[in-house]
Amino acid sequence: MKYRIGWSIGMICFLLSAARAQQPWQNPAVQTENTLAPHASFIPAASEADAISRKASPNVLSLDGMWRFHLSPNPAQRPDNFFSDAFDVKNWKEIKVPAHWQTEGFDRFIFTDVEYPIPVNPPFPPENDNPVGSYRRSFQVPDNWNGKRIVLRLGAVNSFFYCWINGKYVGLSKDSKTAAEFDVTKFLRKGENTIAVQVFRFSDATYLEGQDMWKLSGIERSVELIARPQAGVQDFFVKSLLDSTYQNGIFQLDVTMNAPAPGGRLEVKLLDADGKPVFRQQQPLQQQTRYHFETGLRHVKSWNAEHPHLYTLLITQFDKNGRTVESIAQKTGFRTVEIRGGLLLVNGVAVKIKGVNRHEHDMHTGKVITVQSMVNDIRLMKQYNVNAVRSSHYPNSPDWYRLCDEYGLYVVDEANIECDGMYFHPSKTLSDKPEWKEAYLHRTRRMFEANKNHASIITWSLGNESGFGENFIATYQYLKSKDDTRPVQYESAERNAYTDIICPMYKSTATMLEYVRRWRDRPYIQCEYAHMMGNGGGNLQDYWDLIYKHAQLQGGFIWDFSDQTFKTKDKQGRDIWAYGRDMGNVGATSDTSFCADGLFAADRTPHPQAFEFKKVIQPVTFAPVPMSANSIQLTNRLDFTDLGAFDFSWSVSRNGEKIAEGKWGPVDVAPRSTKTLSFPLPPMDGTSEYFLTVEARTREASPLVPAGHLAAWEQLPLAPKDFQAPKWNGRSATYTENEQTIRFSGKDFEIAFDKKSGWLNQYVLRGEEMLLSPLEPHFWRAATDNDIGNSQQMRCAVWKDVLQSAQLTFIRVDKNAAGETIVSAEHRLPAVDAVYQSQYRVMDDGAVQVNVEMKAGKSFQPELPRFGMRVLLKGKFDNVSWFGRGPFDNYEDRKTAAAVGLYRMKADSLFHPYARAQESGYRTDVRKISLTDAQGHGLAAYGLPLICTGVLHFDMNRLEFDRHAPENVHGGSMTNDDMVWWNIDYKQSGVGGDNSWGATPHAEYMLPYRDYQYSFILRPAAP
């Protein structure tokens, strides 16, 4: 009896579990119901002319706009029968479509990087915390659609939905980044119709959509009704290739009809850029549904990212009376992509991929984006020398691929598959689970079928960060069976047979070097590298030095193109970039700024690292010619463009001031070739610092890049001469000394040293005290996001408050060998087992030469975040001018794009407002810098020969990161204090950027614990 009871209870549990598993939103075996087979993305037009012009089609009815909307907390409480005509929704709220319901004021925002936004229990989403959005609206079918087949297209719905028309069940679908289509002809009626869509925030699909992005919900792309003929073009696949000479075209086209259409005919045209036909062929429509067209074309204009020549394919269906049924236009480009000899070749050339990853993101509407915003993104990419984009990590809007075709970008198109969150589950991945195979194939099929006709797509990607298993073998084999014109890649396949490109992520330069120690069978292109979180972007020059040096290192894709933040206001009404918990109650791992890791802010204003990336991948590089003072060598880094497309100019500066300039005539340099140019060298004295600056600007405008656009530049020193600080007058200032103070005085100045602390603590000019704090050693910096990721805050914490335990050994006035008065001080720094020695030479014009040295002990200590000094000035001294690198933030490992020059700006403008407030306001290789008031009076510092300097118009301690703080701290909230924080440094550690979760800056850009010394001059600044 006990056995039977036990068996019964077990059976009941099993049956309940089985019943539970049958729900479509919990079942990976159910991906769609009643959807049409995936096919090429296109909108048919009423005529060829309309198809070519992309005129709004009378056969398309948009259902975008305002819908009635109700949000339920979970599936059990979703409204029953709301899709019925009898159900009254007039008291429901309204919502825009397309839109996320979160951006419209419903439900909470969630951002996660690795972890799922739900408890991990695949395939089940949570039962209680799974909001369901119910949508409804009415519409009328145009009268002239009578007799046509009506297709409902939902562009993207996140993450699972049911659909009804006029109360009748239509179907369901998953995959939130590809379109779902239904034949709804039989459900429609004359007059008013209703459509109802019920969207689940979480479903089994959530386990395959674990990308590092905002987990937002709703109808994300447009909803349309499309009127089609009963028998019409269902699908087509165009292959526009080049022959082995890469000069002649091979055109192949397969067209599939949804049903036989005997008696009519199918006409195919291929038009060149001027609209002239280069190919035309007709075939009668008979009982079969598949038709093939093929031809060869001599001397075609090939497509590549530099010259995206396109032809227009027209597929027109005529009825038996010769009338146009519908016409389809598709841009196509002749190009060949292949892996041969261990290289990725485009049209026979081993291109360098200067790529970015890009999420679809708008600072107000999330993943609901416009065509204009896409054009703006491509404009930025073209102007910042980017030639490739990875659709991370899902198929994008169909318009994106059309625009990449048109403007020229190489695209890696990626299936909407990421189950990285499974790492925290015993299963580790879903990629080896047979019950998920159909879900993997479903997403891969939809991606391929929709986007297969785009010339810009040169590679398919199986997904992202999902481990490896049989499911990816299946999707790889599927793509290879369907498309012989493109390679297939997948990062987690590593070096096995199921990736045609070795495409790791966040590998170091050392790992890259290991790969090219011998020739391999596949190229090496990092699918993600150089994580741009916060103040990062270091080491880019190092990466690209290697990439240009080694043929099989063919580039990579920066993470990320833009921040995924939202523009909002802080409590004081200031603009900030919201992240994590700023947007409400988010997941446990979401209260960091991992959504802010782009080259550009969410409004597409550049971060400093964007300029660095543009510079290191620029299309022309310049180098000095050995043994020649007035020659430079140009290298054309482009793959298909002669340098005749640019105008070249040069200028020479002396101590930052331009003294000569000129232009070269046309410079014709073939792709990947070099040329030497000469210029007239102006007279140079032996006491000044001279630089040559060379620029390459676009000669003619292209669609997104204006004429005169600065595409490349370089600055080269003309003479190995350091900048010379002003000469001393040779006289020491007079001084007095008592028990508390050593005081120097002269005309209009007083400088004093505190004998108790041992630091310079007064600097009076014209009767006004300049300082709010002593000039003290400073070893700390506010943590960057990368610092937090590699635990620098904890590892180097000993350097933060070194002076609290500093012990003054002595301070005294000495005479040096030249008889000059010197103030010498020595401090023991027991916290770091070091001795700090400082010398000050005060002259009678108020100048002070500062020489400092730190002698390291024998104990182990962590690296120094910085070695320098810090002083606080009154807030009125907020006009900053400097001769050094600028104008934007630069650091030891991110200064290639920062030219040496004369710059001037307000103190608060030196700080860059990253989403999370952090270290900023820094400039390297500074010869001189002055901080002055409105009348031009203040203090100046001169490097002997160089210093680095940081300027903030507020207390740096406000930037400190506290993971337990009740609120996020934003760069946009950093208002001015009545002071200026001024660092005068030897150096600061680099910012790093290999990744943001453990990688430190490269060793050559760090400050290991050892002896340091440097010198600078402080002196009065005057108008």
Side-chain angles (χ1 to χ4, degrees):
M1 186 69 177
K2 290 180 180 179
Y3 173 82
R4 293 189 60 171
I5 292 173
W7 182 91
S8 299
I9 293 173
M11 189 61 183
I12 290 170
C13 291
F14 171 80
L15 291 173
L16 287 172
S17 176
R20 179 188 182 201
Q22 292 305 305
Q23 296 293 347
W25 66 86
Q26 302 169 332
N27 189 351
V30 178
Q31 292 299 307
T32 65
E33 192 168 80
N34 301 333
T35 57
L36 297 175
H39 60 81
S41 178
F42 64 90
I43 297 293
S47 68
E48 287 187 355
D50 288 354
I52 293 170
S53 66
R54 296 182 53 81
K55 179 181 177 181
S57 174
N59 292 322
V60 177
L61 176 65
S62 172
L63 299 184
D64 292 351
M66 302 308 294
W67 292 48
R68 292 291 180 177
F69 180 73
H70 175 79
L71 188 68
S72 308
N74 53 56
Q77 297 184 56
R78 71 192 195 275
D80 292 329
N81 208 32
F82 82 103
F83 45 81
S84 167
D85 289 344
F87 193 97
D88 187 0
V89 297
K90 67 182 179 183
N91 291 325
W92 282 14
K93 295 180 179 179
E94 289 190 317
I95 193 171
K96 285 190 298 187
V97 169
H100 303 294
W101 65 58
Q102 288 85 0
T103 58
E104 297 302 301
F106 302 89
D107 201 5
R108 68 199 191 280
F109 287 73
I110 299 177
F111 179 93
T112 58
D113 174 28
V114 177
E115 294 185 33
Y116 284 121
I118 59 175
V120 183
N121 183 28
F124 301 106
E127 292 185 359
N128 295 322
D129 185 13
N130 185 8
V132 177
S134 299
Y135 296 76
R136 214 177 89 174
R137 68 158 291 170
S138 60
F139 63 93
Q140 288 193 330
V141 179
D143 292 339
N144 60 359
W145 285 15
N146 239 355
K148 294 187 177 181
R149 181 171 57 98
I150 312 301
V151 174
L152 170 66
R153 176 185 174 93
L154 294 100
V157 183
N158 196 329
S159 69
F160 163 85
F161 73 92
Y162 291 113
C163 181
W164 297 264
I165 296 283
N166 294 326
K168 303 291 181 60
Y169 175 65
V170 172
L172 63 85
S173 186
K174 299 169 188 174
D175 186 356
S176 66
K177 293 299 181 182
T178 53
E181 291 185 344
F182 304 89
D183 186 338
V184 296
T185 311
K186 66 182 180 182
F187 301 110
L188 297 173
R189 62 195 178 200
K190 289 186 177 180
E192 185 174 274
N193 292 261
T194 61
I195 178 173
V197 179
Q198 198 161 65
V199 182
F200 289 57
R201 179 164 196 175
F202 305 124
S203 66
D204 62 274
T206 302
Y207 291 100
L208 293 184
E209 297 181 0
Q211 296 93 338
D212 48 345
M213 61 185 184
W214 291 98
K215 309 305 196 288
L216 303 175
S217 320
I219 302 174
E220 295 183 359
R221 296 178 190 158
S222 290
V223 181
E224 299 167 315
L225 287 171
I226 306 169
R228 303 294 312 280
Q230 292 295 336
V233 174
Q234 176 67 20
D235 193 15
F236 64 95
F237 188 7
V238 58
K239 297 179 182 179
S240 300
L241 307 172
L242 297 173
D243 68 7
S244 60
T245 70
Y246 304 107
Q247 300 295 318
N248 305 311
I250 301 169
F251 175 81
Q252 300 171 346
L253 173 67
D254 290 296
V255 180
T256 302
M257 308 289 286
N258 72 299
R265 59 187 168 88
L266 205 58
E267 182 178 80
V268 169
K269 291 181 185 177
L270 194 64
L271 310 180
D272 66 15
D274 297 322
K276 298 177 181 178
V278 297
F279 170 69
R280 178 176 180 176
Q281 188 177 100
Q282 296 183 2
Q283 292 190 31
L285 290 171
Q286 299 175 342
Q287 288 299 324
Q288 78 265 27
T289 57
R290 296 181 182 274
Y291 299 85
H292 180 76
F293 300 81
E294 185 168 347
T295 191
L297 296 168
R298 291 182 57 79
H299 302 300
V300 294
K301 289 187 174 182
S302 60
W303 185 98
N304 58 69
E306 296 169 23
H307 302 284
H309 296 297
L310 290 171
Y311 292 74
T312 301
L313 167 65
L314 284 172
I315 304 171
T316 305
Q317 179 184 350
F318 297 92
D319 66 14
K320 60 184 178 181
N321 297 315
R323 293 187 296 255
T324 299
V325 177
E326 60 182 9
S327 187
I328 299 164
Q330 172 70 47
K331 297 288 186 180
T332 187
F334 285 92
R335 57 105 183 95
T336 292
V337 183
E338 55 194 329
I339 304 294
R340 182 159 53 83
L343 297 171
L344 168 68
L345 306 181
V346 175
N347 303 344
V349 176
V351 298
K352 295 293 188 182
I353 298 298
K354 303 169 182 178
V356 293
N357 285 271
R358 172 184 172 273
H359 270 293
E360 293 181 315
H361 182 78
D362 179 272
M363 62 181 174
H364 298 299
T365 59
K367 297 191 174 299
V368 179
I369 60 175
T370 65
V371 170
Q372 187 57 54
S373 75
M374 299 179 210
V375 173
N376 291 340
D377 281 358
I378 296 174
R379 177 181 290 108
L380 277 177
M381 292 179 191
K382 301 298 282 188
Q383 293 186 5
Y384 279 75
N385 297 325
V386 170
N387 70 357
V389 61
R390 178 176 174 232
S391 63
S392 52
H393 298 292
Y394 41 80
N396 284 200
S397 162
D399 285 314
W400 177 251
Y401 305 101
R402 174 178 62 83
L403 295 169
C404 291
D405 291 346
E406 179 180 351
Y407 295 116
L409 285 172
Y410 301 124
V411 176
V412 173
D413 201 19
E414 190 155 274
N416 186 20
I417 298 172
E418 180 169 339
C419 63
D420 201 18
M422 289 299 297
Y423 178 82
F424 300 99
H425 187 272
S427 297
K428 296 300 181 183
T429 184
L430 301 174
S431 302
D432 58 358
K433 307 297 184 291
E435 64 270 26
W436 289 86
K437 181 181 289 188
E438 177 52 36
Y440 279 60
L441 285 166
H442 164 73
R443 290 162 183 266
T444 305
R445 275 194 297 265
R446 276 194 170 183
M447 171 190 69
F448 166 74
E449 294 292 356
N451 302 330
K452 62 196 172 192
N453 291 320
H454 290 282
S456 57
I457 298 175
I458 64 168
T459 307
W460 300 113
S461 171
L462 301 181
N464 187 64
E465 293 181 312
S466 297
F468 191 77
E470 290 293 325
N471 298 344
F472 278 125
I473 294 176
T475 57
Y476 176 87
Q477 291 173 338
Y478 167 81
L479 286 170
K480 300 302 281 188
S481 71
K482 287 288 187 178
D483 187 2
D484 59 357
T485 70
R486 298 177 177 98
V488 177
Q489 70 175 51
Y490 178 51
E491 174 262 335
S492 294
E494 297 181 349
R495 301 186 189 183
N496 71 26
Y498 301 100
T499 180
D500 301 328
I501 296 169
I502 305 303
C503 54
M505 55 175 64
Y506 306 109
K507 297 303 182 185
S508 66
T509 51
T511 302
M512 294 165 65
L513 269 174
E514 183 278 328
Y515 188 82
V516 293
R517 290 192 187 281
R518 61 182 178 86
W519 195 264
R520 312 277 184 163
D521 62 341
R522 286 167 287 183
Y524 190 99
I525 303 172
Q526 294 209 56
C527 66
E528 296 176 24
Y529 77 108
H531 197 257
M532 292 291 164
M533 187 173 175
N535 189 357
N539 317 316
L540 287 173
Q541 186 65 60
D542 300 328
Y543 274 102
W544 277 88
D545 286 346
L546 280 179
I547 290 167
Y548 281 132
K549 184 177 181 180
H550 298 281
Q552 284 202 287
L553 301 179
Q554 285 193 251
F557 297 85
I558 290 282
W559 188 271
D560 186 358
F561 173 66
S562 74
D563 292 344
Q564 297 179 68
T565 53
F566 288 91
K567 191 171 187 177
T568 185
K569 303 280 187 182
D570 66 10
K571 292 178 180 178
Q572 285 69 44
R574 297 170 297 228
D575 287 338
I576 60 170
W577 294 114
Y579 61 91
R581 58 187 171 182
D582 294 324
M583 302 304 293
N585 178 29
V586 298
T589 63
S590 302
D591 55 351
T592 69
S593 53
F594 251 86
C595 61
D597 45 16
L599 290 164
F600 297 86
D603 65 352
R604 283 21 179 201
T605 56
H607 293 311
Q609 46 265 50
F611 300 109
E612 185 82 354
F613 187 50
K614 175 184 177 181
K615 177 70 168 60
V616 300
I617 63 169
Q618 64 188 15
V620 191
T621 55
F622 310 85
V625 176
M627 309 304 292
S628 175
N630 68 329
S631 299
I632 59 167
Q633 185 179 75
L634 280 63
T635 299
N636 184 353
R637 298 293 189 185
L638 293 167
D639 297 310
F640 301 98
T641 305
D642 190 281
L643 292 189
F646 300 94
D647 290 323
F648 289 86
S649 63
W650 61 269
S651 64
V652 174
S653 64
R654 179 178 62 217
N655 293 341
E657 301 282 357
K658 186 184 294 185
I659 62 169
E661 62 183 331
K663 294 182 179 180
W664 286 286
V667 179
D668 296 318
V669 184
R672 301 178 168 214
S673 300
T674 63
K675 186 173 186 176
T676 298
L677 298 178
S678 298
F679 60 97
L681 197 64
M684 296 188 292
D685 59 46
T687 61
S688 301
E689 188 178 23
Y690 294 85
F691 282 100
L692 169 71
T693 300
V694 188
E695 294 183 346
R697 294 182 179 270
T698 51
R699 176 167 293 177
E700 297 178 353
S702 58
L704 296 181
V705 181
H709 168 72
L710 181 61
W713 65 274
E714 192 57 79
Q715 186 180 62
L716 301 169
L718 283 177
K721 185 69 179 177
D722 292 332
F723 173 77
Q724 298 295 304
K727 297 295 184 182
W728 293 100
N729 60 21
R731 293 188 298 275
S732 299
T734 60
Y735 74 97
T736 60
E737 184 175 6
N738 58 34
E739 291 184 359
Q740 290 80 35
T741 304
I742 302 170
R743 187 176 302 276
F744 290 79
S745 60
K747 185 180 179 181
D748 294 332
F749 80 90
E750 285 189 3
I751 295 171
F753 297 83
D754 181 359
K755 293 177 70 174
K756 182 178 180 180
S757 68
W759 307 122
L760 189 161
N761 69 333
Q762 289 186 340
Y763 206 129
V764 179
L765 295 177
R766 295 168 301 279
E768 180 178 11
E769 175 60 66
M770 309 288 291
L771 311 186
L772 296 179
S773 78
L775 177 67
E776 297 176 326
H778 195 221
F779 307 99
W780 190 245
R781 75 174 179 198
T784 67
D785 287 328
N786 290 340
D787 291 341
I788 295 167
N790 67 49
S791 301
Q792 186 243 47
Q793 263 190 314
M794 294 178 282
R795 184 177 65 255
C796 301
V798 67
W799 292 104
K800 183 177 182 182
D801 299 313
V802 170
L803 294 190
Q804 288 186 3
S805 59
Q807 300 167 0
L808 177 63
T809 305
F810 64 80
I811 181 169
R812 61 178 179 245
V813 180
D814 297 319
K815 294 284 187 180
N816 65 13
E820 298 162 333
T821 303
I822 304 292
V823 176
S824 299
E826 181 179 278
H827 294 77
R828 288 189 61 250
L829 306 178
V832 291
D833 186 25
V835 174
Y836 191 91
Q837 296 174 339
S838 49
Q839 290 186 338
Y840 307 87
R841 179 181 168 205
V842 183
M843 307 307 292
D844 65 359
D845 61 355
V848 184
Q849 179 171 331
V850 183
N851 304 313
V852 298
E853 182 175 6
M854 187 186 80
K855 295 183 176 179
K858 295 183 178 180
S859 64
F860 172 82
Q861 300 295 336
E863 77 274 13
L864 290 67
R866 79 165 84 225
F867 182 74
M869 302 192 82
R870 182 222 66 178
V871 66
L872 305 184
L873 304 184
K874 289 183 175 179
K876 62 186 288 188
F877 301 106
D878 64 348
N879 296 293
V880 186
S881 60
W882 74 97
F883 179 26
R885 292 195 180 274
F888 39 78
D889 260 4
N890 52 88
Y891 296 81
E892 287 302 309
D893 55 357
R894 197 190 72 209
K895 63 182 182 181
T896 298
V900 175
L902 293 170
Y903 301 99
R904 183 184 304 272
M905 64 180 65
K906 300 294 285 188
D908 55 7
S909 296
L910 275 78
F911 176 75
H912 185 81
Y914 293 100
R916 188 188 71 76
Q918 57 196 277
E919 156 63 33
S920 181
Y922 208 65
R923 307 298 186 268
T924 63
D925 296 342
V926 173
R927 281 79 171 151
K928 64 177 180 179
I929 178 173
S930 63
L931 280 71
T932 60
D933 61 16
Q935 287 71 46
H937 296 288
L939 277 178
Y942 293 78
L944 294 174
L946 299 175
I947 54 175
C948 298
T949 186
V951 176
L952 299 173
H953 210 324
F954 52 83
D955 189 328
M956 192 190 82
N957 293 305
R958 291 171 58 189
L959 299 175
E960 283 297 316
F961 174 70
D962 178 3
R963 66 181 67 253
H964 304 297
E967 295 180 336
N968 293 333
V969 181
H970 304 89
S973 296
M974 292 294 110
T975 52
N976 293 347
D977 292 333
D978 190 17
M979 51 86 81
V980 174
W981 181 296
W982 187 14
N983 282 98
I984 307 170
D985 295 344
Y986 164 68
K987 283 183 180 179
Q988 187 188 138
S989 175
V991 292
D994 288 0
N995 65 51
S996 301
W997 46 90
T1000 63
H1002 290 191
E1004 58 267 37
Y1005 307 120
M1006 296 176 73
L1007 299 174
Y1009 179 66
R1010 61 171 176 79
D1011 295 352
Y1012 289 96
Q1013 69 85 29
Y1014 78 117
S1015 302
F1016 61 92
I1017 298 168
L1018 269 181
R1019 65 183 307 134

